[in-house]
Amino acid sequence: MIRHPHQLHAQAALWSLRRALRHLDEHRDALLIRRPQLGPAESRPRTLAQLARHDELLRTERAERKAGSLTGLKPSAGSAAPGDAPGLADLERDLHQVLVEVHGLLAYAHHRDPLLAWTPLWHEVLDEWDIRRDARWTWLSVVLPATPARIAEAVALALVDADQLVRSYAGLDADLIAPPLAPPCPACDRRRLRIQSSAPDSARWTVTCASSCVCIGDGCECGMDVPTRGVRHIWAADSALAASIAAGVRTMGLAA
Ligand SMILES: [Zn+2]
Ligand SMILES: [Zn+2]
C-alpha cells in the first residue's frame, strides 16, 4: 500500500501518544508524588497525608469532568481545590481537547465514506469520547491510511505536540531504537536511522531519520513511496529499508 509521509507521521504519533498515555495511567500515583510541584510552592503537598488528599481531589475532579462532558458541558477549567493546580488534570483536559479535534477532522474528512457508516451520528461519538477507549484508537488507526495528506499533516502536528506534552510531563523518552548495523540513510547518507517502536506489533514499526533530514521532493534519493518536499523522512514498515532494519533487530533479539 502506498503511504504518504504525512499519514505515516500521523500514525507513528498516534501509537506513540497511546503508549505515553498508558504509561501515564500505569504510573499515575508515582507521577503525582514526583511532580506535585506544579502548583504554587506554598500549596505543594509536603506530607503523605497531603499527597493522598491531592490525589483524592484529582480523582474527584476527573469524575466531575467526565460527568460534565457526558451531558455536553465543557470540562471544568480549574481545579477543584482553591490554591491547588493539578498539572495532570490540566494535561488530561488538553489531551481530551486535542483528541476530540483530531477525531473531528478525520470524521469530517470521511463523512461520505463507508468507513464511517457505522457512526452516522459521529457527534455522539465525540460526546462520549474517552481517551482510553480502545475502539477510538482503532478507528483513528483505520481511517488514517485513507486520509488526504493535508489533513493527515494537521493530525500529525496535533498528535506530535500532544505526545511531547505527555512525555515531558511523565519524563518519558520517545520510543526510538537505534538499530545496530543499520544501513546509512539513503537521503543524507549518515548512520542515524531510528526505528519508531511505539506500535505494539513490530511489523508496524516505521523508520525515521533525524528531524533535520527532510525530503526535497521529486528527485530525492530517499526512496519513500511519495517523496514530499519539506517533510521529515519516514519509511513505512513494509518498505524495503524498514523491513531489512526490522529483520536485523529481530535477529539480534531486540524485538519480537
Ligand atoms: Zn537522513
Ligand atoms: Zn526524500
Side-chain angles (χ1 to χ4, degrees):
M1 179 192 262
I2 303 286
R3 296 283 180 91
H4 193 283
H6 287 318
Q7 294 169 341
L8 292 171
H9 280 300
Q11 181 65 64
L14 187 70
W15 287 123
S16 182
L17 176 59
R18 187 173 195 194
R19 190 147 172 203
L21 283 173
R22 288 202 166 147
H23 176 90
L24 202 62
D25 253 5
E26 282 163 21
H27 302 280
R28 193 179 179 80
D29 293 341
L31 286 167
L32 283 172
I33 290 171
R34 212 170 76 205
R35 300 212 44 182
Q37 72 282 6
L38 288 155
E42 62 278 11
S43 71
R44 290 174 199 168
R46 303 216 176 269
T47 65
L48 277 179
Q50 281 176 327
L51 272 175
R53 192 182 63 86
H54 188 87
D55 193 40
E56 185 57 36
L57 283 169
L58 285 176
R59 282 176 209 279
T60 311
E61 199 218 31
R62 195 173 166 197
E64 282 171 0
R65 276 186 295 123
K66 212 170 176 181
S69 66
L70 281 179
T71 52
L73 298 174
K74 283 209 161 226
S76 71
S79 153
D84 196 13
L88 188 53
D90 291 341
L91 179 70
E92 287 183 332
R93 193 190 61 239
D94 291 348
L95 279 173
H96 180 274
Q97 196 55 42
V98 168
L99 287 169
V100 166
E101 279 166 19
V102 162
H103 193 113
L105 266 173
L106 291 173
Y108 183 73
H110 294 283
H111 74 288
R112 291 184 198 282
D113 197 296
L115 277 171
L116 263 179
W118 61 278
T119 56
L121 299 171
W122 58 265
H123 56 274
E124 287 185 9
V125 175
L126 296 185
D127 285 347
E128 293 178 22
W129 180 277
D130 181 335
I131 57 176
R132 285 170 189 80
R133 216 185 278 176
D134 279 352
R136 305 290 169 248
W137 295 93
T138 306
W139 184 82
L140 293 172
S141 251
V142 167
V143 300
L144 269 177
T147 298
R150 270 183 49 228
I151 294 173
E153 181 180 18
V155 168
L157 280 173
L159 292 178
V160 165
D161 275 359
D163 182 46
Q164 283 172 356
L165 269 180
V166 177
R167 284 173 185 267
S168 78
Y169 180 88
L172 189 63
D173 289 336
D175 302 322
L176 294 175
I177 297 176
L181 308 176
C185 169
C188 67
D189 207 30
R190 293 174 63 178
R191 290 187 185 274
R192 50 182 185 175
L193 294 175
R194 296 286 180 272
I195 297 176
Q196 294 174 313
S197 60
S198 306
D201 173 3
S202 62
R204 301 192 200 190
W205 289 354
T206 42
V207 167
T208 51
C209 193
S211 56
S212 58
C213 182
V214 295
C215 196
I216 56 168
D218 291 339
C220 187
E221 299 284 326
C222 61
M224 292 196 306
D225 283 347
V226 188
T228 308
R229 191 179 183 84
V231 182
R232 179 182 181 179
H233 281 124
I234 183 167
W235 292 268
D238 58 2
S239 65
L241 181 68
S244 74
I245 291 175
V249 166
R250 275 194 289 271
T251 306
M252 301 189 71
L254 295 174

